[in-house]
Amino acid sequence: MEATYPAIEAHGLIGDLQTAALISADGAVDWFCAPRFDSPSVFGALLDHDKGGHFRLTPDGIGYTSKQLYLPGTPILITRFHSADGVGELLDFMPVTGERATDQHRLIRLVRMVRGSMRFRFDCRPRFNYGRDPYELEVHPEGDVFRSPTLTLTLAAFKDSERKFDASGIRRDADGVSASFTLHSGDIGGVVLETACPHAPRAMSTEEACDLLAETRDYWRRWVGGSRYKGRWREVVERSAMTLKLMTYAPTGALVAAPTAGLPEQIGGQRNWDYRYTWIRDASFSVHALLRLGFTDEAQKYLLWLNERIREARDGGLPLQVMYRIDGSPDLNEEVLGHLEGYRGSSPVRIGNGAAGQLQLDIYGEALLSLELADRNGLIPPYEGWQKTAALVDWLCEHWDQPEDGIWETRSGRQDFTYGRVLSWVALDRAIRIAHRRGRPGDTARWATERDAIYQQVMTRGFNQERRAFVQHYGSDILDASLLAMPGLNIISPTDPMWESTLRAMDAELASDSLVYRYDPKASPDGLAGTEGTFNMCTFWYVQALAQAGRLDDARLTFEKMLTYASPLGLYSEEIAPTGEQIGNFPQAFSHLSLISTAAHLDDLLDKEQC
């Protein structure tokens, strides 16, 4: 069974800023949801090789090896096939759709023969609505239409490709459509997939496909050319920036945590979550990364989305929700897809996310942290936005001192999590800063009183005297890597003895060479069976903590080692397994935004050291 599933990291990501696809190194579209990131899957072989659906385009009947790369400065994916007969290239891309929400999306698969000749075969087997909806196949003069109750998918070959088809090899049946064609040196062929096409299939000319390729290339190169990062790790930083952009829903500016659902944190385990939503935490952290690179438009678009969620919460007398759909709607009911076996047998496969209803107090700190940073960069909150934000801070004054579910969304009951208290302190502190800097109204005297109370509580109850370390929650002796963020948040000095002893404890217990675990699930049961890998964001936080503590050589070496765990295309999932492969949803926004922030921070410190 496992042999039928390519490694999670053996995929490239393409997208059009409203949805995305994952394509394996053997030319298979293994994941594609339409018309949005959080829509049901059309191709979902990542979650069930047999029932999920795929669109494979590979050499036919010959032995070959394949490698992938991105066209430099773009997310246009090139899969190169090498055989004794020749070398062919498959270019996969999605033309950018723009900021108006649409159900129409195109995935273009262009094949060109570099040298020699090669026979190719495509096999298109859509499985609508996670494989739950039937479809009818309609045959038209220039292509085929798969019509399900909720979505249509049009398949059309390039005009030039049709003349190269082996008519005896074309098959249309209940499984889908497949066909073979042969290309010789210099030939170009391919196929186009389109969702919700309003007209009958139309074969695209090779020239039209090449024009769209050029337009897509130019769009991305112009965008990434706007980055002001010129540091030591420019290539990996720009790849991470493009990855974050690919995971941003252009009509609203909301960033999904990952474009996938159900990929496991342990092969065969139960920690299989749906990440195709916008977490207040993740998206707020992205503001830091985007502003460091100079992408103020993207940061501002997200802040408008965040302000709207704050307004809705205050108008409804409710707390902020942990996560939302990309259009801002709050309905994320969690369900299990029992008919899917899961990646390499990892079940249950979940869609929706029940953690949306949890109480996680840290999100207020992350939201205010992004708003205050934006304010310092000239993105000043509007009148109504500030009024609602101030009301939210008043709510936090009433509610910060209570057990909660925590940043890691445990399902074992609420605790007085130290990180949640630290970020509550951050929320109040940054609100005060904005109010004082801009002369904005707010009960700053009360905010300061509550802020100081949180500070005293964190320092007395969050610090375990026997362990000489800040711990996961009050009354425990368990370490938690989220607290690596404390010095960077300015709640404690990196040279404070309390912090120095905490960092030493984390060195000994949570760090494994260059990688860092979130916490020990055996010592701190989180309500789920099994274990997990090291958490990529925590590793990047560890790098920053080492650098802030003056251990700059250790920090740089740890960062460089972490770069070796990237996929061949420079992408990161959520976690690294003990054997070194990537696990969890892929690619992961947390990993890429923390990479950007860490690289920029390290650059600053290394530049100062050289002065």
Side-chain angles (χ1 to χ4, degrees), residues 222-248:
R222 282 194 304 271
W223 183 82
V224 80
S227 169
R228 66 186 181 200
Y229 178 83
K230 310 299 179 187
R232 295 165 176 80
W233 299 283
R234 182 172 176 177
E235 185 174 347
V236 295
V237 165
E238 290 185 350
R239 178 55 55 197
S240 289
M242 281 186 277
T243 303
L244 291 178
K245 178 74 168 174
L246 280 172
M247 291 191 284
T248 302

Side-chain angles (χ1 to χ4, degrees), residues 29-34 39-55 123-137 146-153 171 173-178 193 337 339-340:
V29 181
D30 283 339
W31 184 255
F32 175 61
C33 298
S39 299
S41 65
V42 177
F43 300 117
L46 267 179
L47 298 181
D48 194 302
H49 179 268
D50 296 323
K51 300 176 184 176
H54 65 257
F55 181 18
D123 183 23
C124 184
R125 300 186 180 188
R127 297 294 182 265
F128 295 93
N129 190 16
Y130 309 107
R132 296 181 295 190
D133 286 357
Y135 66 83
E136 294 180 354
L137 178 61
F146 302 89
R147 192 176 303 278
S148 80
T150 56
L151 188 70
T152 60
L153 183 70
R171 190 185 75 233
D173 56 29
D175 280 340
V177 176
S178 62
L193 281 176
L337 300 180
H339 65 290
L340 300 180

Side-chain angles (χ1 to χ4, degrees), residues 346-408:
S346 303
S347 62
V349 173
R350 298 181 180 90
I351 57 171
N353 201 306
Q358 290 188 348
L359 176 66
Q360 297 177 22
L361 292 173
D362 66 281
I363 65 172
Y364 300 94
E366 283 124 6
L368 265 297
L369 199 62
S370 67
L371 291 170
E372 195 273 334
L373 178 63
D375 182 79
R376 279 191 279 125
N377 281 268
L379 301 178
I380 303 169
Y383 168 75
E384 184 181 10
W386 174 252
Q387 293 295 103
K388 300 300 182 182
T389 299
L392 192 73
V393 176
D394 290 337
W395 180 93
L396 185 62
C397 286
E398 294 284 346
H399 295 90
W400 67 263
D401 195 11
Q402 62 175 308
E404 41 122 1
D405 295 293
I407 179 177
W408 305 131

Side-chain angles (χ1 to χ4, degrees), residues 63 77 87 132 134 149 158 170 174 218 251 272 274 294 309 353 384 414-415 473 527 558:
L77 183 64
V87 177
R132 296 181 295 190
F158 291 4
I170 299 175
D218 294 346
N272 317 315
D274 189 348
R309 306 290 80 73
N353 201 306
E384 184 181 10
R414 294 180 175 179
Q415 299 284 353
H473 57 81
T558 301

Side-chain angles (χ1 to χ4, degrees), residues 172-312:
R172 296 179 174 92
D173 56 29
D175 280 340
V177 176
S178 62
S180 298
F181 57 96
T182 299
L183 298 181
H184 303 283
S185 181
D187 285 348
I188 296 177
V191 292
V192 181
L193 281 176
E194 185 169 3
T195 62
C197 182
H199 51 73
R202 180 184 65 84
M204 180 181 290
S205 69
T206 299
E207 292 76 14
E208 186 179 354
C210 290
D211 287 345
L212 287 171
L213 176 67
E215 289 175 14
T216 305
R217 177 200 64 202
D218 294 346
Y219 170 88
W220 283 101
R221 286 183 175 170
R222 282 194 304 271
W223 183 82
V224 80
S227 169
R228 66 186 181 200
Y229 178 83
K230 310 299 179 187
R232 295 165 176 80
W233 299 283
R234 182 172 176 177
E235 185 174 347
V236 295
V237 165
E238 290 185 350
R239 178 55 55 197
S240 289
M242 281 186 277
T243 303
L244 291 178
K245 178 74 168 174
L246 280 172
M247 291 191 284
T248 302
Y249 185 62
T252 64
L255 173 79
V256 296
T260 57
L263 293 181
E265 297 174 17
Q266 178 190 29
I267 302 300
Q270 300 178 3
R271 302 163 188 264
N272 317 315
W273 312 111
D274 189 348
Y275 277 10
R276 298 169 300 154
Y277 310 114
T278 301
W279 270 251
I280 295 292
R281 177 187 306 111
D282 304 40
S284 295
F285 278 139
S286 74
V287 173
H288 299 245
L290 292 168
L291 290 178
R292 288 299 296 260
L293 300 182
F295 294 122
T296 55
D297 288 346
E298 284 76 10
Q300 188 168 34
K301 190 78 177 287
Y302 164 69
L303 291 171
L304 291 172
W305 182 92
L306 174 61
N307 277 320
E308 186 63 17
R309 306 290 80 73
I310 292 174
R311 182 194 65 77
E312 291 169 352

Side-chain angles (χ1 to χ4, degrees), residues 24 26-29 54-62 64 79 81 88-90 92 109-111 113 117-125 155 157 161 164-173 175-183 189-191:
S24 70
D26 67 351
V29 181
H54 65 257
F55 181 18
R56 183 173 288 112
L57 202 167
T58 58
D60 184 27
I62 59 173
Y64 66 90
T79 305
F81 300 109
E89 291 184 342
L90 168 62
D92 283 301
R109 315 203 73 189
L110 185 153
V111 188
M113 204 62 208
S117 62
M118 197 176 292
R119 180 184 173 92
F120 291 89
R121 184 174 187 82
F122 72 76
D123 183 23
C124 184
R125 300 186 180 188
L155 173 67
S161 295
K164 302 178 176 70
F165 277 4
D166 177 0
S168 64
I170 299 175
R171 190 185 75 233
R172 296 179 174 92
D173 56 29
D175 280 340
V177 176
S178 62
S180 298
F181 57 96
T182 299
L183 298 181
V191 292

